Amino acid sequence: MLSFVALFSAFFFAVAIAYPMTKLQELIVWSPTITSPTSSTNWCAGTPLNVTWDMMGMPEDGKNSTGLLLLGHQTQDSENLDIHHPLANGFPLSRGWVFCTMPNDTAPRSDYIVVLFGDSGNASPRFNVSGPDPAAQ
Ligand SMILES: *[C@@H]1O[C@H](CO)[C@@H](O)[C@H](O)[C@H]1NC(C)=O
Ligand SMILES: *[C@@H]1O[C@H](CO)[C@@H](O)[C@H](O)[C@H]1NC(C)=O
Ligand SMILES: *[C@@H]1O[C@H](CO)[C@@H](O)[C@H](O)[C@H]1NC(C)=O
Ligand SMILES: *[C@@H]1O[C@H](CO)[C@@H](O)[C@H](O)[C@H]1NC(C)=O
Protein backbone atom coordinates (compact mmCIF):
# COMPACT_ATOMS: atom_id res chain seq x y z
CA MET A 1 0.00 0.00 0.00
CA LEU A 2 2.77 2.36 0.97
CA SER A 3 4.58 1.68 -2.25
CA PHE A 4 1.37 2.27 -4.19
CA VAL A 5 0.98 5.64 -2.50
CA ALA A 6 4.60 6.42 -3.21
CA LEU A 7 4.18 5.40 -6.81
CA PHE A 8 1.00 7.42 -7.10
CA SER A 9 2.67 10.48 -5.60
CA ALA A 10 5.62 10.06 -7.90
CA PHE A 11 3.25 9.87 -10.86
CA PHE A 12 1.37 12.89 -9.62
CA PHE A 13 4.54 14.91 -9.22
CA ALA A 14 5.75 13.81 -12.64
CA VAL A 15 2.49 15.09 -14.13
CA ALA A 16 2.72 18.30 -12.12
CA ILE A 17 6.24 18.86 -13.41
CA ALA A 18 5.44 17.78 -16.96
CA TYR A 19 2.44 20.08 -17.21
CA PRO A 20 4.31 23.37 -16.94
CA MET A 21 6.96 21.93 -19.27
CA THR A 22 4.26 21.33 -21.88
CA LYS A 23 2.92 24.81 -21.29
CA LEU A 24 6.43 26.13 -21.82
CA GLN A 25 6.72 24.23 -25.08
CA GLU A 26 3.48 25.74 -26.32
CA LEU A 27 4.89 29.15 -25.50
CA ILE A 28 8.15 28.48 -27.31
CA VAL A 29 8.66 31.70 -29.06
CA TRP A 30 9.21 31.79 -32.74
CA SER A 31 12.56 33.28 -33.51
CA PRO A 32 12.65 34.03 -37.21
CA THR A 33 16.07 34.17 -38.82
CA ILE A 34 16.72 37.54 -40.42
CA THR A 35 17.85 36.96 -44.00
CA SER A 36 18.50 40.62 -44.88
CA PRO A 37 20.54 42.57 -43.85
CA THR A 38 23.46 40.14 -43.79
CA SER A 39 27.04 40.57 -42.65
CA SER A 40 27.90 41.81 -46.14
CA THR A 41 25.24 44.54 -46.17
CA ASN A 42 26.45 48.11 -46.41
CA TRP A 43 23.33 50.17 -45.79
CA CYS A 44 23.66 53.89 -46.57
CA ALA A 45 22.06 56.33 -44.16
CA GLY A 46 18.94 57.87 -45.70
CA THR A 47 18.31 54.91 -48.00
CA PRO A 48 15.70 52.15 -47.79
CA LEU A 49 16.35 48.44 -47.39
CA ASN A 50 14.02 45.49 -47.57
CA VAL A 51 14.54 43.73 -44.24
CA THR A 52 13.48 40.09 -44.65
CA TRP A 53 13.15 37.05 -42.38
CA ASP A 54 12.58 33.37 -42.77
CA MET A 55 8.93 32.35 -42.32
CA MET A 56 9.79 28.71 -41.55
CA GLY A 57 8.06 27.42 -38.45
CA MET A 58 5.83 30.39 -37.82
CA PRO A 59 3.23 29.21 -35.29
CA GLU A 60 -0.40 29.28 -36.36
CA ASP A 61 -1.36 31.54 -33.47
CA GLY A 62 1.30 34.02 -34.49
CA LYS A 63 -0.26 34.65 -37.89
CA ASN A 64 -1.82 37.94 -36.80
CA SER A 65 1.14 39.20 -34.81
CA THR A 66 2.69 42.50 -35.67
CA GLY A 67 6.38 43.21 -35.46
CA LEU A 68 8.72 45.90 -34.23
CA LEU A 69 12.11 46.45 -35.86
CA LEU A 70 14.81 48.21 -33.87
CA LEU A 71 18.29 49.33 -34.82
CA GLY A 72 21.12 48.62 -32.44
CA HIS A 73 24.82 48.05 -32.45
CA GLN A 74 26.35 44.97 -30.98
CA THR A 75 28.98 45.51 -28.35
CA GLN A 76 30.36 42.84 -26.07
CA ASP A 77 27.68 43.18 -23.44
CA SER A 78 24.78 44.95 -25.14
CA GLU A 79 22.73 45.24 -28.29
CA ASN A 80 22.38 49.01 -27.61
CA LEU A 81 18.90 49.06 -29.14
CA ASP A 82 17.48 52.43 -30.09
CA ILE A 83 14.03 51.88 -28.63
CA HIS A 84 13.00 55.49 -29.18
CA HIS A 85 13.36 55.43 -32.97
CA PRO A 86 12.03 52.12 -34.32
CA LEU A 87 12.93 51.48 -37.95
CA ALA A 88 9.46 50.01 -38.40
CA ASN A 89 6.51 49.13 -36.21
CA GLY A 90 3.13 47.44 -36.56
CA PHE A 91 3.90 45.47 -39.73
CA PRO A 92 2.58 41.91 -40.12
CA LEU A 93 5.18 39.37 -39.02
CA SER A 94 3.65 36.79 -41.33
CA ARG A 95 4.60 38.85 -44.40
CA GLY A 96 8.31 38.08 -43.96
CA TRP A 97 9.61 41.50 -44.90
CA VAL A 98 9.43 45.19 -44.07
CA PHE A 99 10.79 47.97 -46.22
CA CYS A 100 12.37 50.69 -44.11
CA THR A 101 14.73 53.63 -44.38
CA MET A 102 17.90 54.13 -42.39
CA PRO A 103 17.67 57.60 -40.82
CA ASN A 104 19.90 60.24 -42.41
CA ASP A 105 21.64 61.03 -39.15
CA THR A 106 22.77 57.45 -38.44
CA ALA A 107 26.46 57.52 -37.56
CA PRO A 108 28.65 55.23 -39.66
CA ARG A 109 29.63 52.03 -37.79
CA SER A 110 30.34 48.47 -38.82
CA ASP A 111 28.60 46.75 -35.90
CA TYR A 112 24.97 47.64 -36.51
CA ILE A 113 22.26 45.05 -36.05
CA VAL A 114 18.52 45.07 -36.52
CA VAL A 115 16.40 43.19 -34.02
CA LEU A 116 12.98 41.93 -34.97
CA PHE A 117 10.48 41.69 -32.15
CA GLY A 118 7.32 39.71 -32.35
CA ASP A 119 7.03 37.26 -29.49
CA SER A 120 10.74 37.54 -28.92
CA GLY A 121 13.66 39.43 -30.31
CA ASN A 122 15.93 38.08 -32.98
CA ALA A 123 19.02 39.90 -34.13
CA SER A 124 20.50 40.08 -37.60
CA PRO A 125 24.19 39.58 -38.25
CA ARG A 126 26.26 42.72 -37.79
CA PHE A 127 26.32 44.99 -40.82
CA ASN A 128 27.72 48.35 -41.88
CA VAL A 129 25.93 51.62 -42.08
CA SER A 130 27.92 54.15 -44.05
CA GLY A 131 27.23 57.84 -44.38
CA PRO A 132 24.52 59.02 -46.74
CA ASP A 133 25.12 57.90 -50.32
CA PRO A 134 26.84 60.92 -51.96
CA ALA A 135 25.19 60.01 -55.27
CA ALA A 136 21.76 60.38 -53.64
CA GLN A 137 22.34 63.89 -52.29
C1 LIG B 1 32.25 48.02 -43.55
O1 LIG B 1 33.01 49.16 -43.20
C2 LIG B 1 34.37 48.85 -43.00
C3 LIG B 1 35.05 50.09 -42.48
O2 LIG B 1 34.63 51.22 -43.18
C4 LIG B 1 34.95 48.38 -44.33
O3 LIG B 1 36.30 48.03 -44.17
C5 LIG B 1 34.18 47.16 -44.80
O4 LIG B 1 34.62 46.76 -46.09
C6 LIG B 1 32.71 47.46 -44.89
N1 LIG B 1 31.97 46.23 -45.19
C7 LIG B 1 31.08 46.19 -46.18
C8 LIG B 1 30.38 44.87 -46.31
O5 LIG B 1 30.84 47.12 -46.91
C1 LIG C 1 10.92 42.56 -50.04
O1 LIG C 1 11.37 41.23 -50.28
C2 LIG C 1 10.31 40.30 -50.38
C3 LIG C 1 10.92 38.91 -50.47
O2 LIG C 1 11.92 38.87 -51.42
C4 LIG C 1 9.46 40.65 -51.60
O3 LIG C 1 8.41 39.73 -51.71
C5 LIG C 1 8.91 42.05 -51.40
O4 LIG C 1 8.17 42.45 -52.53
C6 LIG C 1 10.05 43.03 -51.18
N1 LIG C 1 9.47 44.35 -50.85
C7 LIG C 1 9.86 45.46 -51.47
C8 LIG C 1 9.16 46.71 -51.06
O5 LIG C 1 10.75 45.46 -52.30
C1 LIG D 1 -6.50 36.47 -37.19
O1 LIG D 1 -7.36 37.50 -37.68
C2 LIG D 1 -8.48 37.00 -38.37
C3 LIG D 1 -9.22 38.18 -38.98
O2 LIG D 1 -9.31 39.25 -38.07
C4 LIG D 1 -9.34 36.19 -37.43
O3 LIG D 1 -10.46 35.65 -38.11
C5 LIG D 1 -8.53 35.04 -36.87
O4 LIG D 1 -9.24 34.32 -35.92
C6 LIG D 1 -7.25 35.55 -36.22
N1 LIG D 1 -6.40 34.43 -35.87
C7 LIG D 1 -5.75 34.35 -34.71
C8 LIG D 1 -4.93 33.12 -34.49
O5 LIG D 1 -5.81 35.23 -33.84
C1 LIG E 1 17.34 62.55 -45.77
O1 LIG E 1 18.10 63.36 -46.65
C2 LIG E 1 17.49 63.48 -47.94
C3 LIG E 1 18.46 64.23 -48.85
O2 LIG E 1 19.03 65.33 -48.17
C4 LIG E 1 16.16 64.18 -47.80
O3 LIG E 1 15.54 64.29 -49.06
C5 LIG E 1 15.27 63.35 -46.90
O4 LIG E 1 14.04 64.01 -46.66
C6 LIG E 1 15.94 63.11 -45.57
N1 LIG E 1 15.16 62.15 -44.85
C7 LIG E 1 14.90 62.26 -43.57
C8 LIG E 1 14.09 61.17 -42.98
O5 LIG E 1 15.30 63.22 -42.89
Side-chain angles (χ1 to χ4, degrees):
M1 181 60 189
L2 195 63
S3 66
F4 175 75
V5 169
L7 196 67
F8 185 79
S9 313
F11 176 70
F12 185 79
F13 276 110
V15 169
I17 291 164
Y19 180 69
M21 288 299 283
T22 313
K23 270 316 225 196
L24 213 61
Q25 269 159 8
E26 277 173 19
L27 289 176
I28 277 181
V29 283
W30 178 61
S31 230
T33 301
I34 294 174
T35 45
S36 165
T38 66
S39 57
S40 56
T41 296
N42 194 12
W43 189 346
C44 290
T47 66
L49 186 81
N50 193 1
V51 173
T52 60
W53 53 95
D54 194 343
M55 293 303 303
M56 281 263 286
M58 180 172 202
E60 197 59 35
D61 63 0
K63 293 270 152 75
N64 290 346
S65 305
T66 55
L68 168 70
L69 187 74
L70 297 181
L71 181 67
H73 60 271
Q74 183 75 62
T75 53
Q76 207 159 22
D77 52 0
S78 173
E79 292 184 327
N80 300 288
L81 298 177
D82 185 357
I83 56 173
H84 300 297
H85 308 98
L87 289 174
N89 196 0
F91 50 88
L93 271 181
S94 58
R95 192 172 59 184
W97 59 270
V98 61
F99 199 65
C100 55
T101 299
M102 185 61 66
N104 279 339
D105 59 359
T106 310
R109 298 181 70 102
S110 54
D111 58 358
Y112 279 107
I113 53 169
V114 289
V115 176
L116 177 65
F117 287 92
D119 294 331
S120 69
N122 206 33
S124 71
R126 286 187 230 188
F127 60 90
N128 276 7
V129 173
S130 53
D133 183 357
Q137 298 300 297

